Amino acid sequence: MHLRLNSPRLQRGFTLLELLVVLVVLGLLAGIVAPKYFTQLGKSEVKVAQAQIEGLAKALDLYRLDTGRYPTTEQGLAALISQPPDEPKWGGPYLQRGLPQDPWGRDYVYRAPGEFGDYDLLSLGRDGQPGGDGENADITSWQ
């Protein structure tokens, strides 16, 4: 018996049932992998914020070495980029790439003098509100 190329047996495709099984398996895999992926993404944003706070803290220390004090709350972190009018010993700019925002697109909070040290520097986390847990927790310079 000779099979021809256009024989129904050789041109068989996937059945609807086979496609549904594949889609269910893919859905289950996505349900397992996606939460772990997004958890890691949130952890990386927290790590970025911690690294940026450390970099800003070093820039603030350089500012203090030049001027003898940290910028005031009113001067804010902008004093690391441009010279305040009342600061003749300013030797900046102290940041090479400008003033960063936290990974969630908000400005860092800076207060001097601070409640927890010479200054307080923090990000309010993903939710932008004080306090919180996990990704919503504040990331601070004093922890």
Side-chain angles (χ1 to χ4, degrees), residues 59-97:
L60 286 164
D61 289 340
L62 290 172
Y63 180 97
R64 185 179 63 86
L65 284 172
D66 284 348
T67 64
R69 62 182 183 81
Y70 290 107
T72 64
T73 301
E74 293 76 29
Q75 291 171 326
L77 295 174
L80 299 174
I81 301 296
S82 58
Q83 183 174 3
D86 58 344
E87 204 55 73
K89 296 180 182 177
W90 189 82
Y94 299 96
L95 296 172
Q96 294 177 354
R97 297 185 180 142

Side-chain angles (χ1 to χ4, degrees), residues 35-49:
K36 292 184 182 199
Y37 170 76
F38 288 115
T39 299
Q40 291 301 319
L41 181 63
K43 286 180 184 177
S44 68
E45 288 172 331
V46 169
K47 288 180 182 179
V48 167

Side-chain angles (χ1 to χ4, degrees), residues 48-49 52 98-108:
V48 167
Q52 286 179 329
L99 199 56
Q101 289 189 313
D102 71 11
W104 301 279
R106 290 184 292 276
D107 293 333
Y108 284 95

